[in-house]
Amino acid sequence: MVKDLQAFPLAPSMIHQRSDEEVAFSNNNLHNGKIPDRSSRSSKCFVYMLAAFVLLFFLLLVFSLIVLQVKTPNLELTSASLKSLSYDYSPSFNITMLVKIAINNNNFGDLELDKNTQLSALYRSLNIGDSNNNNNAEFAKRRIGARKKEEISVAFKVRSVGIIDDPDKRQNLSNDVSSGVLEIGILARLSGKVNLLKNISKRAAAEMNCAVAIDLRSQVIQKLVC
């Protein structure tokens, strides 16, 4: 039995050595990125996060510049008419005017007017009447919707009381009354706040200057210029 074992010795173990072709193929896979590298994955993740942060910052910037930016409302005097008119050559006059003013709110939030919004009548830069005489009922707490336009009618009295106290302006008024045409300036001042979001509001203001020429004899508005 022992002899039989000696006659057939165990075969030596086979040791496989990598050939040059296998080594070259493995190196090519490493260089071609087929075997993932942890440092490469980390750098890509960082790049993606940075790109997302830049995109978010850009969107917030656009939002703040377009939506949260308060734009000046546009004012337009659409019409003016006379409800009553009386005058004499002393000189003096007493006029009740009705004007319609359009307010264009080009913001992304409601425009809420306050008591400082008013219309004033001027004769050669002297205030001779304003809407405050009616307690500004037309403007008080008036709301104009986002991106909307609204027209408001305002009636107020215009008197010559302050003019006749000034000798120079009194002479000018006497000349105007004699010519039959009285020029009056109309100044509109808007004041309020724009409610952009639930807890964000910003102040808004606007101003408009116009002039009307009143034909005293026919008692009509002859010309309106803004």
Side-chain angles (χ1 to χ4, degrees):
M1 188 68 176
V2 174
K3 291 181 179 182
D4 293 337
L5 292 173
Q6 290 177 349
F8 301 97
L10 294 175
S13 59
M14 298 294 293
I15 298 176
H16 177 71
Q17 294 183 350
R18 299 177 68 183
S19 64
D20 294 339
E21 292 180 355
E22 290 175 327
V23 173
F25 178 76
S26 177
N27 290 336
N28 288 335
N29 286 342
L30 289 174
H31 288 300
N32 293 333
K34 293 183 179 180
I35 298 178
D37 186 9
R38 290 184 178 179
S39 62
S40 177
R41 287 201 303 266
S42 298
S43 62
K44 287 182 179 180
C45 183
F46 175 76
V47 170
Y48 294 149
M49 290 179 63
L50 181 61
F53 176 79
V54 171
L55 178 61
L56 178 62
F57 176 78
F58 176 76
L59 293 176
L60 290 175
L61 181 62
V62 172
F63 179 80
S64 63
L65 290 176
I66 296 178
V67 178
L68 299 182
Q69 187 73 23
V70 173
K71 303 177 182 65
T72 302
N74 294 325
L75 303 179
E76 179 185 358
L77 185 63
T78 57
S79 68
S81 60
L82 304 177
K83 295 185 68 176
S84 65
L85 185 153
S86 63
Y87 74 98
D88 58 48
Y89 293 95
S90 58
S92 68
F93 61 82
N94 193 338
I95 303 172
T96 300
M97 297 185 65
L98 176 65
V99 300
K100 292 183 179 180
I101 180 171
I103 303 176
N104 185 15
N105 176 25
N106 48 12
N107 291 286
F108 287 91
D110 293 345
L111 173 62
E112 182 179 348
L113 305 181
D114 60 30
K115 62 182 181 180
N116 293 321
T117 298
Q118 68 174 24
L119 289 176
S120 300
L122 307 175
Y123 179 78
R124 299 181 184 269
S125 73
L126 178 67
N127 191 328
I128 55 175
D130 56 52
S131 57
N132 278 339
N133 294 332
N134 299 331
N135 297 320
N136 262 359
E138 297 86 355
F139 296 118
K141 297 298 181 180
R142 194 72 172 256
R143 279 182 177 269
I144 301 172
R147 314 289 293 178
K148 290 187 178 180
K149 184 178 182 179
E150 188 171 328
E151 190 174 69
I152 301 175
S153 297
V154 183
F156 58 97
K157 294 184 179 298
V158 180
R159 296 185 177 94
S160 58
V161 176
I163 300 174
I164 59 179
D165 295 333
D166 186 320
D168 293 334
K169 288 185 172 57
R170 180 187 178 92
Q171 183 60 48
N172 292 328
L173 177 60
S174 179
N175 295 335
D176 291 341
V177 171
S178 298
S179 70
V181 177
L182 178 66
E183 292 190 359
I184 293 177
I186 297 179
L187 172 64
R189 287 192 178 97
L190 180 147
S191 176
K193 61 181 180 179
V194 177
N195 302 309
L196 294 170
L197 296 175
K198 189 174 182 180
N199 297 318
I200 298 179
S201 62
K202 295 184 177 181
R203 299 295 303 174
E207 194 170 290
M208 177 199 68
N209 280 290
C210 296
V212 296
I214 301 174
D215 189 322
L216 296 175
R217 296 185 177 90
S218 59
Q219 299 193 359
V220 295
I221 300 291
Q222 189 179 72
K223 183 173 61 175
L224 191 158
V225 179
C226 291

